[in-house]
Structure formats: structure tokens, C-alpha cells
Amino acid sequence: MYKYDHYDQAMVDARVEEFRDQVRRRIEGHLTEDQFKSLRLMNGLYLQLHAYMLRVAVPYGTLSSAQMRALADIADKYDRGYGHFTTRQNIQYNWIKLEEAPDILADLAKVEMHAIQTSGNCIRNISSDQYAGAAADEEVDPRPYAELLRQWSTFHPEFLTLPRKFKICVIASEQDRAAMRLHDIGIRILRNEAGELGARFYVGGGMGRTPMIAPVIRDFVPLDQLITYSEACLRVYNRYGRRDNKFKARIKILVHEMGADEYTRQVEEEFAHLLSQGIEPPTAELERIRTYFQDPAFEHGALDALDRSDPDFALWVDRNTMAHKQAGYINATISLKPVGGIPGDASADQMRLMADLAERYSFDELRVTHAQNIVLPHVRKADLYEVWKQLDQAGLGTANIDQIDDIIACPGLDYCSLANARSIPVAQKISQRFAAGGKADALGELKLKISGCINACGHHHAGHIGILGVDRKGKENYQLLLGGSEAEDTSLGKITGPGFDEDGIVDAIERATDVYLRERGEGERFLDTYRRIGMEPFKEAIYG
Amino acid sequence: MKILTGNDLKSGAVVWWDGRGWSLHVEDAVDAGDDADTIMAREEAARRVNVPYAIDGERSAEGRVRPAHIKDRIRALGPTVRPDLTLKPADPEAGNWVI
Ligand code: SF4
């Protein structure tokens, strides 16, 4: 894992003290809320539906045990004993007091964490594959590049006030587990025909009110030009992105309106200019970063088999684990989606248990997934049964990854002041409905995603089944979408028709899944069947 | 009726104008009528409340004040999915009050 050097620590510590002073001035009345708002947002502090909310950055979703423990301690000491893991691999706390916020940031700084780049019109926290450095199918660990981008983007003076927020994702496998093409910039690291590593740039993707899938802007950027090319992409956006209309300010609108070809031409022109300026960080810096992402001391020749005699364990293995690049090891995903639970929430005690398990069994590492779960990335197969038993005892043994009850749900109207409708109760009802009688198991892979408003934090456009909460004459109403995907086969869901109330949406989903169960071909997922037979049979069943 | 709400500056807690000060309980809210802007400007300037605003309120059959819109009712109560964290943690019917 990356470790702060003297400069990183000094910057973060200085930022804490600066914010402490800003908070003091606000409380004493030297700053108005208007003056203070952008300062608190630069430190991840929002004013939400019930209280202040603090969003803490988890760079590319990677956490150490000590960091996870610190997050648990913050939940207990300053919040109400829990935190919420988000679709951008961060964590947020819902009940923060302004007067305590500087102390929280100071506690975070002690474990090399902060809340910078979690709000405002800057380059946000970089996201990545939750199995980075551990997946059997990756070309290379994408995190050193994500870290380089993080260092380039944090406090980049030119990009602190972009037209709108800006999200970058870096992956290094063909399988996309990070919704890469639905980011402002998606970067896939791959090899060219000569076997050299480079970066493919996808620019102008996003969800929100105008969802777009990012087109490829350049097939192959040599990795020693990664920052220069990124800078060129940002510069063109910063110059031409719209500042007059918030709803048209994201880069996806610029790329769409300018046309991908013209945008690319301008980026290439800027790139050529920047190359002559020599802005790329020295290779030595990337090498320095890379030393922090070396493989842990894997045991070579570790037993490469699992005892599957306990059927509950075998089921969990089938659902919640992923092949590891090292024989004898496995990626284990801890579901934060118990039946009827709140997607993405974890209590302080659960965080501590996950931290302890990571320390003991996963080389001190955890990952946050964009699907709001937690991964132990390097578990010896020989230890997996013990890990599962401890998780199960703590209510963390749910075997449902990528099933209909592994729901992505934004906080919705229960917590979010922008919401139109609640997301969480709908998620709870769906998971209860489908867990009963083993229906979720029968459906296999079916990704369901719920947003409480058009901002799409719950990725509803990209769900095999998506749900969007809307306000219909002061009442909560839910639109149903089918056919989205945020994997390598990225697609955007289509609305089925008129919306439903809270119970009606659950029934409608059940009718849609019945169509799938009736029509599915050999080996087809819900999404495959939908793509083959189209919307009509589903519509008929839902509204018929 | 117009009722006034905002957040406590230091704690962030949701508060309601009760005619003399700011209460945690929406049932204490009073109709601010034509004085809403004056009250909000004065209270915010004194930092007794943060970002106040006026919303529509209504009176239930029992005479209790509640916000007209569901968003404000959830704001007044707390998250419907965590009854233990609402202002009525012991009330199993609290959720119905919101809906
Ligand atoms: S999608 Fe809307 S309701 Fe949900 S968290 Fe985002 S802004 Fe809030």
C-alpha cells in the first residue's frame, strides 16, 4: 500500500490546521455560511438532510487494517456507531458536528487519510478495480497509476475549479469491475501488439440526468505520457466545458456536443504542446510509488484447494470469491447486504472485525467496492473457512454477490437532501421478497441498482434492473429500467413505462424476473435474456 | 401555515422555530406568518441557526404541527430505516407519522 512521505503528511496536516481555523472563524461569526460553504466542501463536509455529513476519501478503494480501525473509531467517537460505504469506494458519516470536524480530520491524518477531493468541482478521488493487484486476469496492478494520478490531481492549481466535478477510474483488465466507461475519464491499462503497456482513454462517460457511455479517445497512450495526456484531456474540458448551465457542465456534454472527433483533435493538439513542456513526472517517481505496491510475501506452494464439505461455506465460496493471481490464495468479498439490511452500512464493530481479519489473514489489506461491499484481497485458501466462520457469526456472511439482493442503493430520502424518494426501504423490501424461498438463488447474476433521484449515485442506469425514485405530486414514485450494465458490456437501461409506488415496484420486479425465468436460454443471465428478447415481453408482464 | 427550519450551526441538528428559540421537535413549531423573513435574518445573523428556510406546515386532526412534504417530515423525524436514531426511538409507529 502507498505510504505517505514527508510531503504528503505535511500537506495533509497543514490542511487540517487550516480547516480548524476556518471552522473556528465560522463558529465565531467571522465567516458567513456563503463564505464557509466552499471551504467545508473542499474538506468533504456537506450539510445534509439531518446533520453535517463527512465523506472520507478511500483512494482507489484500498484500506489498511489500521485505517479501517480508525474509521470504526470515528464512527463510535464522533458519529452514531456506523458508516456508509459509497459507490465511489468512499465512506460517509451522517451525524457529524461541525465543531468536531477538525478533530476527525486530525484523526484521519494520523492514519494517512483525509476528506480532500470528495466534493466540489475538482478531480475527485480516483477509483479502481477492487481486486487490483490481486486479480488473476489483470495485466498489471493499476494502483500505482491511480496513485500517480491522485498526486497529480490533488491541489492541481489549474483544476481546482473545473466547470463541474470530475471522476477518473483506472483498471487493468478486460473485465470491468469498476464501471470504467461511466466515468469522466476511464483508463484501461493494456498491452499493445508489441507487448508494451499503455493506457486506453475513454472520455465523456457518466450517469446523472444525461447518462453517456464514454467513447475511446485514444487507443494507446504510452504510460510515460499518462499524466501529460490526462492533463490535455482536462485542459480542453476546462477551456470549453460550460459554466453557464450546471446541467450541461460535465465533460460528457462537451464531448457529445463538440463531437468525439473534434474533442480528440483538440486534445491531441494540446497533448503535442504539453509534450514540449516536459510536464510528465520523472519515471523515478512512478518507480518510487510502485515499490509500495509490491506483492505481499505470498507463501509459495500454499495449498490450492478448499474443503467444501460445509454446504453453507461452499455456497459462500461460489458467490463471494474471485480467482487470485497467486496459487493458493483467493479474493473474498464481504457482503454488506444482509437480507433486509441497509446496503453499504457497516457498524463500528463490523469494521473492526473486518480490520482484524484483514490483519490476520489478508496481509493487512481491505478494499471497498463500488457495489458497496468490502474485499479481503489476499486470503490463503487454507484460511478461508475460518474467515467465513468469523464473518458469519458477525452477520457478515451473506452469500449474495452480484445477485438480485446485492443491491446498490444510494442513501435516498432517508439521508439525502437532494432526494425525491427513499431508496433504502425499497432495497430492503426487494431483498426480503427475493431471499424468501430461494428466488434470488434461482435468478443467478442480476445486478439491481436504486437511486433516490436523477443524480444517479445508485447507478440505476447501469443496473440489469434499475430503479429511479421520483417525486410525483409530493408522493414517492419509482420508475423501472431494464437492460443496463456497467461491466465491459456497458449499456444504459431503458424505462419500462409508468412508475409505481413502493410496493408496486417490488411486484413489478417480480413480474420481470418471472419473464426471465420462463424465457431464459441455456446459461443466460437476466441481462442476456433481456437483450435477446427485448423490452416487449417484460412490458406485457409488468403492465399487462 | 409557514414554519421555519434550519440547522444548529455547531451540531448540525435539525431545528424548528418555536416562537422564542429553536427546538429539536417539529411539534413545537409555530406559524411564522409574515414575520418569517425578519425572524430568519435576525436569527441567522446572531448565529442561533444556520441556513434557515420556510416550509409549508399543516396541523393534524389532533392539532399537532407537521411539515406538509414528506422530505421535511423525514427531516423532522430522522431516517425511517433507523428508528433507533429518530427523535421517537421508542415509537414503533414513528414511520407512519412520516408517510
Ligand atoms: S442519487 Fe440523488 S438521492 Fe441518491 S444520494 Fe445521489 S443525490 Fe442523493
Side-chain angles (χ1 to χ4, degrees):
Chain A
M1 267 189 65
Y2 184 70
K3 292 257 171 281
Y4 279 10
D5 65 10
H6 168 72
Y7 299 104
D8 295 310
Q9 192 67 53
M11 270 195 284
V12 170
D13 290 344
R15 184 64 174 246
V16 173
E17 289 318 306
E18 182 185 55
F19 189 55
R20 193 181 292 285
D21 186 53
Q22 290 162 348
V23 169
R24 179 186 59 76
R25 287 190 286 148
R26 172 68 189 118
I27 289 174
E28 289 175 0
H30 305 303
L31 293 174
T32 64
E33 184 62 18
D34 275 352
Q35 291 165 328
F36 180 63
K37 187 176 175 187
S38 64
L39 303 175
R40 67 168 159 76
L41 288 175
M42 277 185 225
N43 291 284
L45 193 66
Y46 293 70
L47 189 54
Q48 268 294 4
L49 197 63
H50 304 297
Y52 293 99
M53 179 271 274
L54 182 71
R55 183 178 296 149
V56 176
V58 181
Y60 30 91
T62 297
L63 282 172
S64 69
S65 305
Q67 289 173 327
M68 185 64 114
R69 260 184 222 115
L71 295 178
D73 291 346
I74 286 169
D76 271 342
K77 191 170 166 193
Y78 302 105
D79 204 86
R80 299 192 179 177
Y82 70 109
H84 176 75
F85 289 98
T86 75
T87 50
R88 292 220 72 246
Q89 300 176 292
N90 294 320
I91 183 170
Q92 44 195 58
Y93 298 100
N94 298 301
W95 305 96
I96 296 302
K97 296 185 174 68
L98 176 62
E99 51 194 343
E100 293 181 344
D103 291 338
I104 304 176
L105 295 187
D107 286 3
L108 286 169
K110 283 185 201 140
V111 290
E112 304 183 1
M113 296 185 83
H114 57 69
I116 300 161
Q117 290 176 285
T118 63
S119 178
N121 293 338
C122 62
I123 300 173
R124 300 289 186 90
N125 185 35
I126 315 283
S127 61
S128 187
D129 183 346
Q130 68 266 22
Y131 303 128
D137 64 349
E138 74 184 9
E139 285 292 349
V140 65
D141 186 344
R143 290 174 304 163
Y145 305 100
E147 173 59 26
L148 191 69
L149 284 158
R150 184 192 74 75
Q151 297 194 9
W152 160 75
S153 61
T154 304
F155 305 143
H156 191 310
E158 202 175 318
F159 304 138
L160 287 179
T161 48
L162 292 165
R164 201 75 179 85
K165 58 186 166 184
F166 202 94
K167 300 174 181 177
I168 301 178
C169 173
V170 190
I171 66 169
S173 55
E174 190 174 347
Q175 221 192 329
D176 180 0
R177 294 174 282 259
M180 184 267 292
R181 291 189 70 186
L182 295 166
H183 282 73
D184 296 286
I185 294 183
I187 295 173
R188 181 181 156 204
I189 297 171
L190 38 58
R191 284 186 197 281
N192 64 10
E193 280 173 3
E196 299 151 338
L197 283 171
R200 179 175 292 164
F201 270 69
Y202 299 81
V203 181
M207 291 188 249
R209 72 179 56 227
T210 320
M212 303 244 185
I213 300 171
V216 177
I217 293 298
R218 206 198 225 229
D219 239 355
F220 193 85
V221 177
L223 286 177
D224 58 4
Q225 297 173 351
L226 180 75
I227 297 300
T228 311
Y229 201 80
S230 302
E231 181 120 355
C233 292
L234 261 299
R235 274 200 160 183
V236 175
Y237 168 55
N238 206 16
R239 193 175 303 147
Y240 297 113
R242 289 181 62 169
R243 292 172 197 270
D244 61 324
N245 182 341
K246 191 177 169 199
F247 302 126
K248 293 188 187 279
R250 294 290 289 264
I251 193 173
K252 60 190 174 187
I253 305 292
L254 177 72
V255 173
H256 182 72
E257 288 188 349
M258 188 182 248
D261 289 346
E262 175 58 15
Y263 173 77
T264 307
R265 191 190 66 72
Q266 299 222 20
V267 168
E268 292 293 331
E269 209 175 281
E270 188 63 40
F271 179 53
H273 164 69
L274 286 171
L275 279 178
S276 71
Q277 305 294 301
I279 65 159
E280 193 70 27
T283 323
E285 177 56 13
L286 181 60
E287 290 310 320
R288 184 187 76 84
I289 292 172
R290 227 196 294 269
T291 58
Y292 294 108
F293 294 95
Q294 309 260 323
D295 282 347
F298 292 127
E299 176 190 323
H300 290 277
L303 181 70
D304 199 28
L306 288 165
D307 177 356
R308 297 168 57 95
S309 50
D310 181 332
D312 291 338
F313 172 63
L315 184 74
W316 182 80
V317 169
D318 291 342
R319 300 270 159 72
N320 291 39
T321 63
M322 228 283 292
H324 200 283
K325 66 181 184 183
Q326 177 70 33
Y329 287 80
I330 202 157
N331 288 283
T333 303
I334 303 167
S335 170
L336 296 183
K337 321 287 176 65
V339 175
I342 298 178
D345 275 15
S347 69
D349 286 344
Q350 288 177 326
M351 289 186 227
R352 282 192 195 96
L353 173 70
M354 294 189 282
D356 290 348
L357 290 173
E359 183 170 30
R360 177 128 191 239
Y361 298 111
S362 184
F363 293 96
D364 221 19
E365 259 194 53
L366 306 108
R367 309 289 174 76
V368 183
T369 81
H370 86 271
Q372 305 175 284
N373 295 311
I374 302 292
V375 171
L376 297 174
H378 310 297
V379 181
R380 264 191 343 157
K381 286 186 179 170
D383 295 327
L384 194 62
Y385 187 61
E386 180 57 32
V387 169
W388 170 75
K389 272 202 308 195
Q390 291 197 36
L391 287 170
D392 203 35
Q393 273 166 16
L396 289 168
T398 312
N400 63 354
I401 297 304
D402 291 341
Q403 294 200 152
I404 193 169
D405 49 340
D406 178 16
I407 298 167
I408 290 183
C410 78
L413 194 47
D414 278 300
Y415 290 101
C416 177
S417 51
L418 300 173
N420 286 324
R422 288 171 299 161
S423 306
I424 300 166
V426 176
Q428 291 174 315
K429 282 188 176 168
I430 294 169
S431 86
Q432 278 157 343
R433 171 83 61 98
F434 284 88
K439 198 157 182 191
D441 299 342
L443 292 168
E445 183 186 310
L446 203 172
K447 298 183 186 177
L448 194 146
K449 305 176 198 292
I450 311 175
S451 303
C453 82
I454 194 68
N455 289 329
C457 305
H459 296 188
H460 64 277
H461 299 293
H464 299 178
I465 295 178
I467 299 173
L468 167 65
V470 295
D471 180 327
R472 199 154 155 251
K473 296 187 191 134
K475 289 222 174 329
E476 296 167 296
N477 192 263
Y478 298 92
Q479 289 183 345
L480 180 60
L481 295 88
L482 301 178
S485 169
E486 57 190 0
E488 56 285 359
D489 58 352
T490 309
S491 59
L492 300 171
K494 291 200 169 61
I495 295 176
T496 54
F500 305 89
D501 66 12
E502 189 179 317
D503 291 320
I505 188 76
V506 184
D507 293 338
I509 288 167
E510 185 151 36
R511 289 197 288 273
T513 56
D514 286 343
V515 173
Y516 161 65
L517 291 174
R518 194 179 68 222
E519 301 286 340
R520 71 175 160 189
E522 182 70 29
E524 271 185 351
R525 303 169 299 163
F526 177 91
L527 182 64
D528 303 323
T529 303
Y530 169 83
R531 284 176 175 167
R532 178 171 56 77
I533 68 176
M535 177 68 96
E536 269 322 300
F538 290 94
K539 257 183 152 164
E540 262 168 47
I542 292 167
Y543 298 102
Chain B
M1 66 191 286
K2 284 273 172 243
I3 57 178
L4 308 184
T5 184
N7 294 77
D8 181 75
L9 174 62
K10 287 193 211 171
S11 73
V14 172
V15 289
W16 307 88
W17 176 247
D18 68 7
R20 286 188 310 257
W22 296 88
S23 166
L24 290 175
H25 302 279
V26 71
E27 286 96 333
D28 298 337
V30 293
D31 189 352
D34 296 337
D35 296 336
D37 290 342
T38 318
I39 296 168
M40 288 192 289
R42 183 189 71 214
E43 293 295 307
E44 188 167 33
R47 299 190 311 288
R48 285 189 288 265
V49 68
N50 195 20
V51 282
Y53 56 98
I55 59 163
D56 290 328
E58 58 196 25
R59 224 172 257 288
S60 68
E62 308 87 56
R64 286 206 305 213
V65 175
R66 69 175 217 158
H69 193 276
I70 182 173
K71 181 183 286 191
D72 300 312
R73 291 200 292 274
I74 291 179
R75 196 164 168 272
L77 176 75
T80 63
V81 291
R82 287 292 305 263
D84 55 320
L85 300 182
T86 68
L87 287 176
K88 305 174 184 211
D91 180 357
E93 296 300 314
N96 298 339
W97 182 83
V98 167
I99 318 305

